[in-house]
Amino acid sequence: MGYLEELNEKQKEAVTSIEQYVRVIAGAGSGKTRVLTHRIAYLINELGIPDKTILAITFTNKAAKEMKDRVNKLLENENCRATISTFHSFCARFLREEIRVLDYPRSFVIIDEEDQEKIIVDIMEKLSISKELISLKSLINFVSNNKSDGITPQKAAEYSQGFPGEEIKSQVYCKYEEFLKDNYYLDFDDLILKTNLILQDFEDIRLKWQMRITNILVDEFQDTNITQYKLIKLLCSNQTNLFVVGDPDQTIYTWRGADVNIIMNFKKDYKGTKDIVLDKNYRSTKSILDGANCLISYNKKREPKDLYTENPQGGNIIYYQGDSVEHEAWWVIERIKELHYKNSNCDYGDFAIMYRSYYYSRAFETALIKAGIPYAIYGGKKFFERKEVKDALCYLRLVARNDDDLAFERVVNNPRRGIGEKTMSQIKFGALENKTSLYEYFKESTLSARNSTSIMAFFDAIENAKEEVTKRNIPFAKILENLLENVGYLKVLKDNKETERIENIKEFGDYLFEFQSNNGNIDLVDILQEIALYTNQDEIKTGSRVSLMTVHTAKGLEFPYVFLVGMSEGVFPNQRSIVANPASLEEERRLAYVAYTRAMKQLFLTDSIGYNFSSQSYRVSSRFLKESGEFIKPYYNNSRYKESLKKPIIPKRAFETLEKNNINWHPGDMLIHTVFGEGIVIAMTLETLTVAFKDTKYGQKIISKTFGGITRRG
């Protein structure tokens, strides 16, 4: 039992418990994997439990492999027969043995996401469903969500009556299920659903597996959904020992089905459950844990615990507020450079920049590129490589230059306007023959597609945008917004609830607004050339890199230095959670708690002030900063970077002129109103200014240019 000596008292209590039902509340960094692996070894070595009767479930193949390796090492046995796998892997194994009762052969095929997409695309074509009407992603989500909720295609059809869009989706769902059944295919949702179906409807099979498996261990139990929990229940008999490990404070996947109530109500479902709390943290400093404990204490739906550690106190949690998102990003990169230079043992792989949503990566990517620091987007694409950003960029390129044939080819049928390969070939041939651009030729041609409403709208939108650029009285961000609305691009995203893509486009608009505000009388072409510098960077193939990731992606990871950025209301917590319900806000707080506890040596929190063009409001610091209490300290810099941090709050105005004591206003100008206070010009006409005021009770107002009670700030 020598391997038990490396456990602390609570870990040892969990590992050696002989109660039938055990719930381990394992705080962040408290050694839950160690507990699970030692528990398996203890069952086999000390209690004499046959290894092949043990089932341990975790959520990723990587975690399952790590657990297997650790167990084998503890047992000094490479042939341990305990089943350590994900839910889906276990179910695939189960179905190979039992699926014949559902009239499937043992040789059934498990399809992946790419296969699923192809099947649904084929069904859409057969049913003449336009991708502009209903997106592929929304159909996949419809099928998966209904399956997860146990709703059959027939029931989905009943529920969708009277809702045209839902009726179409239910038709696709029905055809999809028919296709899978006819070809003996199963998708990932089917693996658990059909396992549950067999265990529920065939008592002899259920009893066989209940006798085969006597001990079940479940990792990350807080992330379990209803169908997964049902599977666990069906595998349990009155004699089964059930050992679950999780942390309600780290339930952050409710959007994909995880239900915090499952771990919270476990003791009600299994009477006599023994509770053990692992609250000793081995990862972070005391300062980091103090802030994390203070923050999460504001949640009501949780099991009370305070993480503690024997690690050093460490430095304070540092908070910095930038004058803009760009300044915020610039400060983060300077701190990375400073720490990297000071510590010879510190490389770029020790740093992580985390954010609530993917769109927030943009400013930090551009700052890293300018600084020449290698980085990698963990679990996603770089900002300017994302499809919707490239689409928006190509629309602007076409506005700037109608002869940009590559941009034209990308957007002319995006969203679809009935331009197929044949029409495009005719356009290319005609343009070549007439020695003109694709845009100009198609615009003046008599091709049948030219007469369609959508094609007319496309050309009208481009020409209107060109005119708006020439007038120079509307921010480029607003021009882009109008353009994408007029060509129908944003409508498609909104109809299909493509929230993440919409957020990326809004962030692109914010970038345009900020860049234009800070660089005065700049041309659209200048901005596009600036962006090209970011998109054409040589990829650094070797060496360590700064990791950029969402907090969801960061779950299970740890880094010596963590920068949690974008700590503003409406960003983190996000706007949807603020207006939804207390449960949504609690999940956002849990998400912040997870981010805090990824840090080992130092945690930095940042946000920025200033005007946000996409929300048309001023940024306000996140409530989570205040809720972290006295453990957060503002940044005061005494290093060699002090002077360079003095960034101007007011955007520069290279094109500012004064004529006859009348102010020549431009979008992005800051002003002071004698009654409404500070504001920013977001649009204008010959006679008026549209101003967003910092005080939210005034919001946006239209002010006459000749009004004597306004002055330009700075």
Side-chain angles (χ1 to χ4, degrees):
M1 296 178 65
Y3 57 82
L4 296 180
E5 295 176 3
E6 62 189 47
L7 304 175
N8 66 39
E9 287 305 310
K10 287 188 176 180
Q11 289 174 337
K12 188 180 296 184
E13 181 185 3
V15 167
T16 61
S17 176
I18 58 173
E19 280 76 12
Q20 184 177 6
Y21 306 120
V22 180
R23 181 181 70 162
V24 180
I25 304 296
S30 63
K32 69 176 179 62
T33 304
R34 175 181 290 185
V35 166
L36 282 162
T37 53
H38 281 65
R39 171 74 173 176
I40 295 170
Y42 182 82
L43 290 174
I44 296 169
N45 273 357
E46 313 305 330
L47 299 186
I49 304 298
D51 54 0
K52 65 180 181 180
T53 67
I54 297 172
L55 170 64
I57 296 290
T58 188
F59 274 77
T60 67
N61 291 316
K62 180 181 177 182
K65 183 181 184 305
E66 181 185 351
M67 285 177 63
K68 284 179 186 177
D69 292 343
R70 288 204 201 182
V71 169
N72 288 337
K73 187 175 180 180
L74 288 170
L75 294 173
E76 298 180 353
N77 177 9
E78 294 296 325
N79 299 310
C80 176
R81 295 176 297 174
T83 300
I84 303 174
S85 72
T86 64
F87 277 104
H88 291 99
S89 294
F90 168 76
C91 290
R93 176 181 168 186
F94 173 92
L95 291 171
R96 293 292 179 205
E97 188 172 334
E98 309 292 358
I99 200 169
R100 67 189 185 282
V101 298
L102 299 181
D103 296 326
Y104 276 75
R106 292 185 62 193
S107 59
F108 66 86
V109 174
I110 302 171
I111 64 172
D112 60 19
E113 291 181 6
E114 187 176 340
D115 296 327
Q116 187 182 39
E117 289 181 4
K118 185 179 186 308
I119 293 167
I120 291 180
V121 166
D122 289 343
I123 293 171
M124 292 175 71
E125 290 178 356
K126 289 176 182 177
L127 296 178
S128 300
I129 299 171
S130 167
K131 288 183 180 179
E132 278 60 61
L133 178 65
I134 298 177
S135 74
L136 176 61
K137 181 179 179 181
S138 67
L139 283 168
I140 291 172
N141 289 340
F142 181 87
V143 170
S144 182
N145 292 340
N146 275 285
K147 284 192 171 189
S148 298
D149 293 337
I151 300 173
T152 64
Q154 293 73 28
K155 283 290 183 185
E158 290 179 22
Y159 297 154
S160 65
Q161 288 181 4
F163 300 93
E166 299 298 293
E167 288 179 348
I168 293 173
K169 291 177 184 179
S170 67
Q171 290 176 33
V172 173
Y173 180 22
C174 183
K175 295 292 184 184
Y176 173 78
E177 284 296 279
E178 289 176 2
F179 183 87
L180 263 56
K181 176 67 175 175
D182 291 344
N183 292 276
Y184 301 121
Y185 290 159
L186 298 181
D187 61 23
F188 265 53
D189 291 315
D190 286 327
L191 295 176
I192 297 179
L193 291 173
K194 294 199 182 300
T195 298
N196 284 349
L197 179 63
I198 292 172
L199 288 170
Q200 179 178 287
D201 292 353
F202 297 89
E203 184 179 9
D204 57 332
I205 295 176
R206 182 172 69 254
L207 292 174
K208 179 177 77 172
W209 282 84
Q210 287 177 346
M211 291 178 65
R212 183 181 294 185
I213 299 171
T214 62
N215 282 265
I216 299 175
L217 302 89
V218 187
D219 187 17
E220 301 286 7
F221 192 63
Q222 78 280 348
D223 292 332
T224 307
N225 64 32
I226 297 298
T227 56
Q228 292 162 345
Y229 190 39
K230 182 179 179 181
L231 171 62
I232 294 165
K233 283 184 169 182
L234 287 168
L235 289 170
C236 285
S237 71
N238 292 333
Q239 304 302 315
T240 307
N241 291 282
L242 182 57
F243 184 94
V244 301
V245 181
D247 183 7
D249 288 339
Q250 297 186 71
T251 303
I252 61 173
Y253 295 114
T254 59
W255 51 275
R256 67 184 190 196
D259 186 349
V260 70
N261 293 304
I262 292 175
I263 190 170
M264 293 294 292
N265 296 333
F266 184 79
K267 291 194 292 184
K268 295 179 182 178
D269 292 344
Y270 294 93
K271 303 300 182 184
T273 292
K274 180 176 183 177
D275 254 347
I276 301 168
V277 178
L278 304 182
D279 51 6
K280 183 178 181 179
N281 177 282
Y282 291 88
R283 177 187 298 149
S284 306
T285 65
K286 292 177 181 177
S287 294
I288 292 169
L289 295 183
D290 286 341
N293 286 330
C294 188
L295 171 68
I296 201 62
S297 68
Y298 281 81
N299 271 10
K300 295 180 180 179
K301 184 163 283 191
R302 64 187 297 261
E303 292 289 341
K305 70 176 184 305
D306 274 342
L307 296 179
Y308 74 96
T309 186
E310 294 178 0
N311 291 339
Q313 181 67 37
N316 293 316
I317 299 174
I318 301 299
Y319 165 62
Y320 173 77
Q321 184 176 70
D323 299 328
S324 68
V325 178
E326 276 65 29
H327 295 170
E328 177 188 357
W330 186 89
W331 182 87
V332 168
I333 273 58
E334 290 298 332
R335 300 289 68 70
I336 291 174
K337 287 165 61 178
E338 185 176 39
L339 289 165
H340 186 259
Y341 294 150
K342 281 184 177 179
N343 189 345
S344 59
N345 296 321
C346 175
D347 64 29
Y348 288 129
D350 292 335
F351 299 96
I353 300 173
M354 299 181 188
Y355 31 79
R356 173 59 181 85
S357 300
Y358 274 119
Y359 74 85
Y360 212 80
S361 73
R362 191 271 311 160
F364 299 87
E365 288 188 59
T366 55
L368 285 162
I369 290 170
K370 286 181 178 180
I373 295 176
Y375 74 97
I377 299 287
Y378 202 103
K381 287 186 175 182
K382 294 181 178 181
F383 184 81
F384 287 107
E385 292 176 1
R386 295 168 195 169
K387 178 185 180 301
E388 58 281 2
V389 177
K390 292 174 76 172
D391 290 344
L393 184 58
C394 282
Y395 267 110
L396 284 181
R397 281 169 50 183
L398 200 55
V399 170
R401 281 185 48 191
N402 287 165
D403 61 350
D404 189 335
D405 288 348
L406 291 176
F408 174 83
E409 285 192 65
R410 184 180 182 96
V411 302
V412 69
N413 203 39
N414 183 14
R416 289 183 182 272
R417 301 183 178 93
I419 302 171
E421 292 182 11
K422 182 179 178 181
T423 304
M424 183 56 70
S425 296
Q426 290 177 304
I427 295 170
K428 288 181 177 180
F429 179 79
L432 182 63
E433 193 173 50
N434 288 274
K435 298 180 180 180
T436 186
S437 68
L438 300 181
Y439 178 92
E440 291 297 338
Y441 175 76
F442 190 39
K443 180 183 174 187
E444 302 301 329
S445 73
T446 57
L447 292 172
S448 58
R450 173 73 180 88
N451 298 319
S452 73
T453 303
S454 60
I455 293 297
M456 292 292 290
F458 169 77
F459 283 112
D460 288 344
I462 297 293
E463 295 302 318
N464 287 339
K466 286 170 61 179
E467 186 176 346
E468 289 174 342
V469 168
T470 303
K471 288 181 178 178
R472 308 185 71 82
N473 65 343
I474 302 177
F476 294 143
K478 185 62 178 175
I479 293 172
L480 175 63
E481 181 184 332
N482 293 341
L483 176 58
L484 296 182
E485 283 283 4
N486 292 337
V487 297
Y489 190 92
L490 286 179
K491 183 179 185 303
V492 172
L493 297 184
K494 291 172 183 175
D495 289 347
N496 293 316
K497 299 185 172 81
E498 297 274 9
T499 306
E500 191 173 295
R501 294 187 185 279
I502 293 171
E503 286 179 340
N504 281 330
I505 287 178
K506 287 182 177 179
E507 175 61 22
F508 184 40
D510 287 339
Y511 163 76
L512 294 173
F513 185 79
E514 194 79 29
F515 193 91
Q516 188 178 11
S517 296
N518 285 327
N519 290 277
N521 193 22
I522 193 168
D523 291 328
L524 178 58
V525 171
D526 296 328
I527 295 182
L528 295 176
Q529 289 175 351
E530 177 77 13
I531 294 171
L533 297 177
Y534 304 137
T535 57
N536 291 322
Q537 292 291 314
D538 291 333
E539 183 70 25
I540 300 173
K541 300 295 183 183
T542 59
S544 61
R545 309 179 187 190
V546 175
S547 296
L548 275 68
M549 64 189 70
T550 65
V551 182
H552 281 107
T553 305
K555 180 73 164 63
L557 303 177
E558 59 184 32
F559 297 88
Y561 304 98
V562 170
F563 293 84
L564 182 56
V565 301
M567 295 294 285
S568 302
E569 288 288 292
V571 179
F572 201 3
N574 68 20
Q575 191 61 35
R576 293 187 300 278
S577 70
I578 293 173
V579 301
N581 52 59
S584 296
L585 190 57
E586 288 209 354
E587 176 152 2
E588 288 291 292
R589 193 174 287 111
R590 292 195 294 267
L591 195 56
Y593 174 79
V594 166
Y596 281 30
T597 55
R598 300 310 95 194
M600 300 165 70
K601 294 181 179 180
Q602 183 76 64
L603 173 64
F604 300 87
L605 308 175
T606 68
D607 71 345
S608 56
I609 58 175
Y611 184 74
N612 184 292
F613 180 81
S614 62
S615 65
Q616 299 199 357
S617 62
Y618 279 85
R619 300 182 186 93
V620 177
S621 294
S622 170
R623 68 191 70 194
F624 296 157
L625 296 170
K626 183 178 180 181
E627 291 174 357
S628 300
E630 62 186 11
F631 306 106
I632 294 180
K633 301 298 180 184
Y635 176 79
Y636 297 102
N637 185 28
N638 294 312
S639 73
R640 60 193 175 91
Y641 297 103
K642 185 172 183 179
E643 291 303 314
S644 61
L645 281 170
K646 291 182 179 179
K647 293 285 185 177
I649 294 178
I650 307 304
K652 294 179 291 185
R653 302 285 170 237
F655 54 88
E656 184 173 300
T657 58
L658 296 176
E659 297 177 3
K660 299 179 181 179
N661 296 323
N662 291 324
I663 300 173
N664 184 19
W665 294 100
H666 294 87
D669 282 341
M670 307 290 289
L671 60 71
I672 301 294
H673 190 286
T674 52
V675 176
F676 303 136
E678 184 179 339
I680 186 168
V681 177
I682 61 174
M684 53 190 287
T685 68
L686 291 174
E687 298 180 349
T688 65
L689 305 173
T690 300
V691 182
F693 287 98
K694 188 170 185 178
D695 193 327
T696 55
K697 70 181 178 182
Y698 299 126
Q700 289 185 32
K701 294 189 179 296
I702 296 176
I703 307 296
S704 172
K705 283 184 176 179
T706 59
F707 175 58
I710 54 174
T711 56
R712 191 193 329 263
R713 179 177 167 183

